[in-house]
Amino acid sequence: MTTYRHSGNAEVSTARGLDRPAAPRKRFAGQVRPKVPLLLAGALVMALWVTGAPQAETPLSALSLKSVPVPGPSQAALGEFVADKNAAIQLGKALFWDPRVGSDNKTACATCHFSAGADSREKNQLSPGLLRRLEGSMAADPDKTFRWRTGPNHQFVASDFPFTTFSMLQRNEPAQRTDNNDVASSQGVFNGQFKSLVVSNKGAEADSCDYTRDPDNFHLGGLNSRRVEPRNSPSVINAVFNFRNFWDGRGNNVFNGGDPFGMRNPNALVWKKEAGIVRKVQVSIPSSSLASQGSGPPLSGTEMSCEDRTFVNLAQKLLDQKILDGQTIASDDSVLGEFANDRPPYQSLVKRAFKPEYWQSPDVLRFTRADAQERRSMDLRRPVPFNSVREEKVKQIEANFTLFFSLALQMYQSTLVADDSRFDQYAAGDSSRLNEIERAGLAIFQGKGKCINCHGGAELTNASFRNVLKERLEKMVMASGKTKTYDNGFYNIGVRPTLDDIGVGGTDGFGLPLSESMIFATRPHEAARLLGNGFDPDKYTVPAVADVNVNGAFKTPGLRNVELTGPYFHNGGTSTLMQVVDFYNRGGDFGRDNRENLDPDIEPLGLSEAEKTSLVSFLLSLTDDRVRLEKAPFDHPSLCIPNGHSSSLYASVNGINAADDMLCLKEVGRRGTSNGLSPFMRLSPFSH
């Protein structure tokens, strides 16, 4: 287990408040509700403060994540498609860890989520401010200039963080600010256009792509570097508890079988055999944001794919190939152990996992450019138009590969639940699991630090499935004093200027607002259909567009294992938990600049150094040691991942793309490892 040294004489006088609640700040008026229930630490209750409502009580044991049912579609909804749940989980894990899903045969889903579900790489992990908008028109205004002189292929050092600094640590005066608008994220693929599969040897060769000079400055002299995503990669562990996924909620709560956008996409995207005839049908699977999310990255021109590649192409590449061919599976892998020495082809697992009416037809289907263009890309800046797709004859199992891939990933990721941290054990009744300093930190978390106001419930996020279903749209008295409607669980906290990245204020692949509040404001009569999961428009008053507050707002992440998932925030701009606490303590880095959109809880907190140390200590209690030691269900096959570019003049095999350095991870079985994962860059969480 990783240990950290910190001051042994930290003040813990705040612990005396554990037996009584701190008075809640009155931050609402009339029938405007506070964001979350307020935890009364030590008193073993949680009080719900709502104007005019009686106080409700919940035992502390309900704050153990073990007490929360894992969300997902009903058995009836899933049973329409899934024939064998275990086979679907096996398929999902194999696909998640297979780098052949990437066009380059080097980029798996796990490539960006291999360390506590997140990405701990330190080299070539910078992206410039590509999501910036113009004030007024909100038109795209990308900043393609890297603020670090080294730019692409930069090797992080501790002094790079935080990206935004102040001459006085406790203050957020703009005049005292030194800023860097780059983003720490995950390297993906090279800029390229899909041409065809290498039919002669699909398993060994990458997709055939035309690589050209990168338009966004991802290059090293005359060679392209790998593109880096415009937002930090969050952990996939416990992502099943999120009502929507991705930082901006693009991973819709309803899965349509074909892309991330749910019922916003009006097209029938799935081929089903009914009464002997194969026809396209519309699919609507509620409570499935992980499936929606899973359908996005494999075709992203930044994350995993050459542009214009379709899921049909990916199916043609993988279905006949053995799962994880060339990788090692531990004989005691908790999911894939039976395949350690005898690998079935992907096609075999698909047929075991899913109902035959979605794959069995021997009929040959015409897959056209129009079929491809019925789907939309998850890419924020360069949505894939599929203009180069050629009409071809495909099998039903190939045409429906998006459905199989995405549902299998959802089934696998639904097993990645970390609910056995020391805090979970403490909440379940073992008072010995938190020491005095950690209990003091818990009191600060729910009181003076106001953390609980966004990180509520056992899931430690207001963006959780349970919390959002109670109240999809909420009203808040903003820092500006105006009452606004917002998407529950999405907040502007002043990490970056609002126009640097408008988050859930953006639009989807169909030009519709990503924000549920804005959908309701602009299309109230369509909201129930577009938003799904039983959205009841009669429960809410239609807000004026001017009264919706979503620009610069991002999904609140859960906090379990936060010790291991740095760098932090949607821009990856802080490297340690103490830097995160410093950010909140000074009232955000751009709290003053973002006043019109700012969450009212973002204000100077006045925490002492000892209180900040206690708060960080509490956050460390949220680590599940199964995650740290990669024990089941967090074990995995071997995987080699790109880790920046070779320094030898960036030597290239094709004269266009720089050569990769590779980092290889050894396979891990259900019993895990003895060394365990470390925080980002092996930095102490207590370091400023």
Side-chain angles (χ1 to χ4, degrees):
M1 179 181 296
T2 306
T3 58
Y4 311 101
R5 298 180 60 190
H6 59 88
S7 174
N9 59 357
E11 297 175 16
V12 293
S13 59
T14 51
R16 288 178 292 185
L18 290 173
D19 294 326
R20 59 182 183 273
R25 182 164 73 89
K26 190 169 183 177
R27 54 182 304 281
F28 52 93
Q31 292 301 308
V32 181
R33 300 184 178 185
K35 288 191 298 189
V36 300
L38 175 67
L39 168 65
L40 308 185
L44 304 189
V45 296
M46 187 165 57
L48 180 62
W49 299 86
V50 179
T51 302
Q55 178 173 308
E57 295 185 353
T58 302
L60 180 64
S61 60
L63 294 178
S64 167
L65 195 58
K66 289 182 183 294
S67 69
V68 181
V70 176
S74 68
Q75 288 298 323
L78 204 58
E80 164 65 23
F81 307 97
V82 176
D84 185 329
K85 181 178 178 180
N86 183 62
I89 293 171
Q90 291 175 323
L91 175 63
K93 184 169 185 178
L95 289 169
F96 187 88
W97 288 90
D98 196 328
R100 291 173 298 175
V101 173
S103 280
D104 58 3
N105 282 8
K106 292 182 179 180
T107 308
C109 302
T111 299
C112 299
H113 300 283
F114 66 92
S115 182
D119 189 348
S120 61
R121 287 175 290 180
E122 303 167 19
K123 187 179 181 183
N124 194 41
Q125 296 282 91
L126 269 181
S127 181
L130 297 175
L131 301 183
R132 190 176 63 182
R133 301 290 186 112
L134 285 173
E135 189 170 0
S137 69
M138 303 299 285
D141 181 34
D143 177 6
K144 301 181 181 181
T145 302
F146 287 86
R147 300 302 169 181
W148 265 277
R149 183 169 53 85
T150 51
N153 212 39
H154 178 74
Q155 172 71 57
F156 283 137
V157 295
S159 59
D160 289 335
F161 297 90
F163 288 3
T164 303
T165 58
F166 293 83
S167 56
M168 296 180 66
L169 188 65
Q170 308 282 354
R171 306 284 298 274
N172 66 356
E173 298 280 354
Q176 298 177 352
R177 185 170 58 211
T178 301
D179 183 42
N180 183 330
N181 74 340
D182 286 353
V183 172
S185 186
S186 296
Q187 58 204 284
V189 294
F190 295 101
N191 180 63
Q193 185 80 21
F194 179 80
K195 291 183 356 184
S196 63
L197 291 173
V198 180
V199 180
S200 61
N201 196 352
K202 300 176 200 171
E205 300 294 333
D207 301 345
S208 176
C209 300
D210 281 330
Y211 291 103
T212 56
R213 181 129 173 120
D214 192 285
D216 291 329
N217 242 359
F218 292 104
H219 41 75
L220 301 163
L223 298 175
N224 284 340
S225 62
R226 286 185 176 271
R227 301 178 59 80
V228 177
E229 298 164 33
R231 291 181 184 143
N232 184 28
S233 296
S235 176
V236 297
I237 295 174
N238 287 357
V240 66
F241 292 101
N242 296 330
F243 183 67
R244 289 185 281 168
N245 271 291
F246 293 121
W247 282 105
D248 59 8
R250 269 171 302 156
N252 198 271
N253 46 288
V254 176
F255 180 49
N256 61 27
D259 68 20
F261 299 112
M263 302 319 294
R264 297 152 181 264
N265 187 334
N267 300 304
L269 303 175
V270 173
W271 281 260
K272 182 180 182 181
K273 189 169 186 177
E274 297 178 298
I277 300 174
V278 177
R279 67 189 79 205
K280 292 177 77 173
V281 297
Q282 194 166 56
V283 166
S284 174
I285 311 175
S287 310
S288 294
S289 67
L290 280 176
S292 296
Q293 180 188 46
S295 68
L299 303 188
S300 165
T302 294
E303 296 199 23
M304 300 182 74
S305 179
C306 293
E307 292 198 36
D308 274 12
R309 184 175 71 155
T310 67
F311 260 102
V312 166
N313 301 136
L314 183 56
Q316 293 166 334
K317 177 180 180 180
L318 287 182
L319 282 172
D320 291 335
Q321 304 304 314
K322 292 182 178 181
I323 68 167
L324 300 169
D325 199 19
Q327 296 168 256
T328 304
I329 301 172
S331 60
D332 65 339
D333 185 291
S334 59
V335 171
L336 299 172
E338 67 178 279
F339 305 131
N341 299 313
D342 186 14
R343 312 289 174 86
Y346 277 108
Q347 186 164 196
S348 174
L349 277 184
V350 169
K351 291 179 177 180
R352 278 179 50 197
F354 291 97
K355 293 288 184 71
E357 52 264 42
Y358 293 98
W359 55 259
Q360 70 178 348
S361 176
D363 299 338
V364 175
L365 310 174
R366 289 174 59 250
F367 185 82
T368 67
R369 181 182 304 171
D371 291 319
Q373 292 179 335
E374 287 176 344
R375 295 164 168 81
R376 293 295 186 274
S377 168
M378 64 163 280
D379 281 337
L380 292 163
R381 296 185 55 248
R382 304 194 299 171
V384 178
F386 297 115
N387 282 330
S388 64
V389 171
R390 297 183 297 272
E391 179 176 328
E392 60 180 321
K393 295 178 179 180
V394 304
K395 302 172 184 177
Q396 186 189 16
I397 195 172
E398 296 168 343
N400 282 339
F401 195 59
T402 322
L403 175 74
F404 308 139
F405 184 100
S406 305
L407 282 178
L409 255 63
Q410 171 161 286
M411 301 291 285
Y412 165 57
Q413 291 182 85
S414 295
T415 71
L416 302 180
V417 173
D419 59 3
D420 198 29
S421 68
R422 286 190 295 113
F423 173 70
D424 290 299
Q425 296 162 15
Y426 174 80
D430 186 350
S431 60
S432 70
R433 299 305 289 152
L434 296 189
N435 63 33
E436 189 177 14
I437 292 177
E438 292 163 343
R439 292 197 301 273
L442 171 58
I444 295 166
F445 184 88
Q446 63 85 36
K448 186 176 180 180
K450 303 181 183 179
C451 314
I452 196 74
N453 287 3
C454 292
H455 295 279
E459 302 91 333
L460 298 180
T461 168
N462 289 6
S464 70
F465 188 87
R466 288 193 308 165
N467 189 59
V468 172
L469 277 190
K470 292 175 186 174
E471 200 81 19
R472 301 277 283 273
L473 315 180
E474 292 200 337
K475 292 186 178 180
M476 180 196 307
V477 180
M478 307 303 298
S480 64
K482 300 175 183 177
T483 299
K484 298 281 190 176
T485 298
Y486 69 99
D487 289 25
N488 195 0
F490 289 77
Y491 308 108
N492 183 323
I493 60 172
V495 172
R496 297 297 312 156
T498 295
L499 291 179
D500 265 19
D501 186 346
I502 59 174
V504 76
T507 56
D508 62 24
F510 297 86
L512 298 173
L514 288 170
S515 161
E516 295 197 337
S517 299
M518 193 62 78
I519 284 280
F520 191 47
T522 57
R523 297 170 179 251
H525 301 298
E526 298 179 75
R529 176 182 64 83
L530 291 172
L531 302 183
N533 266 96
F535 179 82
D536 181 4
D538 294 334
K539 186 177 179 179
Y540 308 97
T541 301
V542 179
V545 169
D547 293 331
V548 172
N549 182 75
V550 291
N551 284 342
F554 294 90
K555 176 173 59 64
T556 302
L559 295 179
R560 278 173 180 76
N561 310 304
V562 69
E563 169 192 6
L564 305 174
T565 58
Y568 304 106
F569 297 126
H570 71 271
N571 74 325
T574 56
S575 60
T576 71
L577 290 176
M578 184 60 81
Q579 289 178 6
V580 171
V581 172
D582 285 337
F583 164 89
Y584 284 110
N585 194 45
R586 62 177 165 259
D589 290 347
F590 294 87
R592 299 180 184 225
D593 310 68
N594 294 5
R595 183 172 173 78
E596 285 299 311
N597 303 100
L598 193 71
D599 183 291
D601 285 317
I602 304 302
E603 60 181 9
L605 300 174
L607 298 179
S608 69
E609 198 66 20
E611 288 172 324
K612 291 192 289 184
T613 295
S614 294
L615 182 52
V616 171
S617 297
F618 165 68
L619 294 174
L620 298 182
S621 78
L622 300 175
T623 301
D624 187 325
D625 272 338
R626 295 175 303 159
V627 174
R628 188 195 309 278
L629 299 174
E630 300 182 283
K631 293 182 178 180
F634 310 109
D635 53 342
H636 58 80
S638 66
L639 179 68
C640 290
I641 61 179
N643 188 33
H645 299 295
S646 170
S647 58
S648 180
L649 298 178
Y650 307 109
S652 170
V653 294
N654 59 13
I656 298 172
N657 299 331
D660 294 308
D661 283 334
M662 301 297 289
L663 170 67
C664 290
L665 313 173
K666 185 175 173 57
E667 72 279 5
V668 178
R670 66 171 61 247
R671 291 185 295 272
T673 65
S674 57
N675 295 328
L677 302 175
S678 299
F680 179 59
M681 296 180 66
R682 295 156 298 284
L683 298 170
S684 166
F686 297 95
S687 172
H688 294 283

